[in-house]
Every structure is written in structure tokens, then in C-alpha cells.
Amino acid sequence: FCSGKVFYELHHACNARRVDGSIVLARVEQLAPFPSLEVALCAGRHPEAELIWVQEEPKNMGAWSFVEPRFRSTLKTLLE
């Protein structure tokens, strides 16, 4: 999962390295209100996947501080 232009950088890197299907990218278009349903649906399509958040900024400067509690809550609900 990511937001913003880093998606395109990741997409091009995956294509260049031909990681065909072993990495799935999901771009979160809008952070507020947080798209819990969309995140849950996307994560549910890949139940064995390791889910991570990617951002260009350092941890304390990017969207992660806002996204983390919502991301964790959404995934916790999905696992119940």
C-alpha cells in the first residue's frame, strides 16, 4: 500500500525487474476519510501476502502516522 507518486516509481521498478504477480501494489488515493472498506477488500484478495505501507518521507514526516492506526484497525477487523 502507498499513496502519491511513489506508486508510479514502484510500478516502474516492478516492471523493470519483471516481478510478475509476486508483488501487488495498491495506491490509496484519498487518506481522509480513510478508505477502510477498500483497504480491507484489497487485503482480502491476497490473504497470504505480507502487507506493508511505503512512503518516500521518513516515518515521522509522511502519512504513516495518520494511516497506521486506521490501517491496523482495518486489518484487525479483517482477521476477526
Side-chain angles (χ1 to χ4, degrees):
F1 289 91
C2 63
S3 181
K5 70 177 187 164
V6 73
F7 170 83
Y8 298 103
E9 295 168 14
L10 293 169
H11 179 72
H12 293 304
C14 286
N15 285 340
R17 293 189 176 134
R18 299 177 190 238
V19 293
D20 305 322
S22 62
I23 296 177
V24 176
L25 302 174
R27 182 172 184 230
V28 179
E29 295 282 337
Q30 179 178 327
L31 298 176
F34 189 74
S36 296
L37 178 60
E38 290 84 354
V39 168
L41 290 172
C42 184
R45 283 187 224 116
H46 308 282
E48 301 300 318
E50 176 184 5
L51 304 177
I52 60 170
W53 177 262
V54 179
Q55 65 184 27
E56 290 181 289
E57 303 85 5
K59 184 177 177 180
N60 65 342
M61 294 177 69
W64 180 242
S65 60
F66 176 81
V67 170
E68 179 184 21
R70 292 154 182 84
F71 196 73
R72 291 189 189 282
S73 176
T74 298
L75 297 179
K76 182 180 176 186
T77 303
L78 183 65
L79 295 172
E80 292 176 346

